[in-house]
């Protein structure tokens, strides 16, 4: 029988403790909270790169706490489908235009009113002010935790021909967001709006279901829409505000520390996204032009603005009245 000394007993005990603790260590490693993130575009676009930024920032602060699963190229659906997923808890985080969430928070259509904002800085002042703060509370009431706002850039008219004057919109079939405001805007110009989710838009334009649409420059290239609507008319009629948001069920299950780290990372990510969008717009238009895309300036801008005025009057009761609209314009 082998002789046991004190050293061998201690080593044996330590080995035994190691075996006992191994499941606990493995269990802890597996305890990373899964975070399914939906992105509409591919890995090179700001819509996805922001989540790599947020993931890396969070991992640096809370190593191993979260397992970010970033699902790209609209594999989880368009914005509305993703929003439903967040409400149900099957998706934990994403980006969204405010337009796509207006069905749940109609007051947010204030940010989508045409020809309200002059530039990105103007929009940012409104988002960081009382209006933006109040809307965050209203989004929270609908199970959307808005960590911060983002700016997708201005929306422009995309068409198969240069539609430069508002009277040329008469009778055109236009794809619109699933938003009452966007339907009303293009109806005011005499067009026939059809709400189509963004993943289905290319095919709808290619097959002639619709003749035109509006979108930001970054997404114009991201979805390769220059192949089916080669003409971009720089109307800049709406500045596309958006949100970095989380599922309330997911968010409310986090510790205060986890919420704080995610909030900070998302806010920094939002500023990062805004910078990326500016850079991406330049690259996007170079890509579009190389593939035959053309850029036009609208004619009679005053007529475009005048044609949109009825939308202000119509939406005023929904968004807080004309005083609130004027407050946003003058911010």
């Amino acid at each position: 029988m082998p002789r046991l000394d004190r050293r061998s007993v201690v080593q044996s005990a330590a080995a035994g403790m190691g075996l006992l603790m191994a499941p606990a260590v493995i269990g802890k490693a597996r305890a990373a909270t899964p975070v399914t993130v939906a992105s509409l575009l591919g890995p090179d676009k700001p819509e996805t790169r922001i989540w790599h930024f947020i993931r890396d920032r969070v991992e640096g602060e809370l190593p191993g706490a979260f397992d970010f699963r970033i699902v790209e190229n609209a594999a989880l659906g368009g914005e509305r489908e993703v929003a439903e997923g967040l409400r149900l808890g099957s998706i934990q985080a994403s980006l969204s235009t405010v337009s796509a969430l207006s069905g749940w928070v109609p007051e947010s259509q204030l940010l989508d009113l045409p020809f309200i904002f002059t530039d990105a800085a103007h929009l940012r002042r409104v988002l960081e002010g009382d209006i933006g703060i109040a809307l965050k509370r209203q989004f929270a009431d609908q199970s959307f935790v808005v960590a911060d706002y983002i700016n997708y850039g201005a929306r422009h008219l995309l068409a198969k021909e240069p539609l430069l004057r508002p009277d040329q919109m008469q009778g055109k079939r236009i794809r619109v967001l699933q938003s009452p405001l966007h339907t009303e805007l293009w109806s005011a110009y005499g067009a026939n709006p059809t709400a189509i989710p963004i993943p289905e838009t290319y095919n709808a334009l290619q097959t002639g279901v619709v003749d035109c649409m509006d979108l930001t420059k970054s997404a114009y290239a991201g979805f390769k829409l220059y192949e089916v609507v080669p003409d971009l008319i720089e109307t800049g009629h709406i500045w596309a505000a958006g949100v970095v948001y989380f599922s309330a069920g997911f968010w409310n299950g986090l510790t205060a520390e986890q919420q704080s780290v995610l909030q900070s990372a998302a806010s920094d990510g939002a500023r990062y996204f805004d910078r990326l969008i500016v850079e991406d717009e330049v690259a996007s238009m170079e890509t579009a032009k190389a593939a035959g895309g053309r850029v036009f300036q609208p004619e009679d801008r005053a007529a475009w603005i005048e044609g949109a005025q009825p939308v202000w009057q119509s939406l005023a009761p929904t968004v807080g009245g004309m005083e609130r609209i004027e407050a946003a314009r003058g911010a």
Side-chain angles (χ1 to χ4, degrees):
M1 182 175 181
R3 180 173 175 270
L4 293 177
D5 57 19
R6 184 175 182 277
R7 182 178 180 183
S8 60
V9 170
V10 171
Q11 289 176 334
S12 298
M17 287 297 292
L19 291 172
L20 289 171
M21 291 176 66
V25 172
I26 294 170
K28 184 176 180 181
R30 291 176 178 171
T33 301
V35 186
T36 299
V37 180
S39 175
L40 293 181
L41 295 169
D44 60 324
K45 300 298 282 186
E47 287 80 355
T48 301
R49 291 174 64 187
I50 180 178
W51 289 108
H52 295 164
F53 178 98
I54 291 171
R55 176 199 61 198
D56 294 346
R57 180 66 62 87
V58 171
E59 180 63 20
E61 294 285 329
L62 299 172
F66 295 98
D67 176 16
F68 280 83
R69 302 167 183 178
I70 303 169
V71 183
E72 304 167 357
N73 292 312
L76 297 178
E79 287 182 312
R80 192 170 183 84
E81 292 79 12
V82 169
E84 292 283 9
L86 264 80
R87 284 168 60 84
L88 293 171
S90 59
I91 299 171
Q92 282 72 58
S94 190
L95 308 181
S96 178
T97 59
V98 169
S99 302
L101 302 180
S102 63
W104 290 282
V105 181
E107 295 86 349
S108 67
Q109 292 176 97
L110 171 66
L111 302 176
D112 254 358
L113 287 175
F115 302 108
I116 286 287
F117 302 107
T118 55
D119 54 28
H122 184 181
L123 175 60
R124 175 53 55 184
R125 287 193 295 272
V126 172
L127 294 175
E128 292 180 348
D130 293 341
I131 290 173
I133 293 169
L135 287 174
K136 280 186 178 181
R137 290 195 292 267
Q138 291 173 302
F139 283 124
D141 290 340
Q142 297 299 320
S143 299
F144 302 130
V145 176
V146 173
D148 214 320
Y149 292 102
I150 53 177
N151 182 359
Y152 285 94
R155 298 182 76 91
H156 304 283
L157 180 61
L158 312 176
K160 299 178 181 181
E161 57 184 310
L163 303 174
L164 308 183
R165 301 186 311 276
D167 61 272
Q168 292 177 298
M169 294 302 302
Q170 191 73 35
K172 296 295 181 183
R173 295 164 297 178
I174 185 168
R175 176 268 175 183
V176 296
L177 285 160
Q178 295 161 292
S179 159
L181 181 150
H182 286 252
T183 297
E184 188 162 346
L185 170 62
W186 294 106
S187 294
Y189 293 125
N192 299 317
T194 301
I196 299 174
I198 193 65
E200 301 171 23
T201 299
Y202 185 105
N203 186 60
L205 289 160
Q206 186 178 49
T207 58
V209 173
V210 288
D211 306 307
C212 51
M213 64 179 294
D214 72 332
L215 200 60
T216 62
K217 290 178 178 179
S218 179
Y220 174 53
F223 289 107
K224 298 185 178 180
L225 292 168
Y226 47 77
E227 296 176 350
V228 286
V229 275
D231 294 347
L232 184 148
I233 301 92
E234 290 189 314
T235 48
H237 48 281
I238 290 172
W239 280 85
V243 296
V244 183
Y245 72 138
F246 297 88
S247 163
F250 161 74
W251 187 267
N252 294 334
L254 302 178
T255 66
E257 181 188 20
Q258 289 173 328
Q259 289 178 351
S260 176
V261 170
L262 270 176
Q263 172 64 65
S264 178
S267 290
D268 288 345
R271 303 292 82 74
Y272 175 66
F273 177 90
D274 287 354
R275 294 194 300 272
L276 287 180
I277 281 290
V278 173
E279 297 169 3
D280 193 69
E281 284 195 335
V282 174
S284 292
M285 293 314 298
E286 289 175 354
T287 298
K289 289 177 182 177
R294 303 187 298 174
V295 178
F296 296 89
Q297 294 302 312
E299 296 176 1
D300 197 356
R301 189 170 185 80
W304 283 100
I305 296 173
E306 183 181 355
Q309 295 298 307
V311 180
W312 294 11
Q313 299 294 333
S314 176
L315 270 291
T318 300
V319 302
M322 283 302 299
E323 287 186 5
R324 201 174 192 212
I325 293 174
E326 292 298 339
R329 288 186 68 202

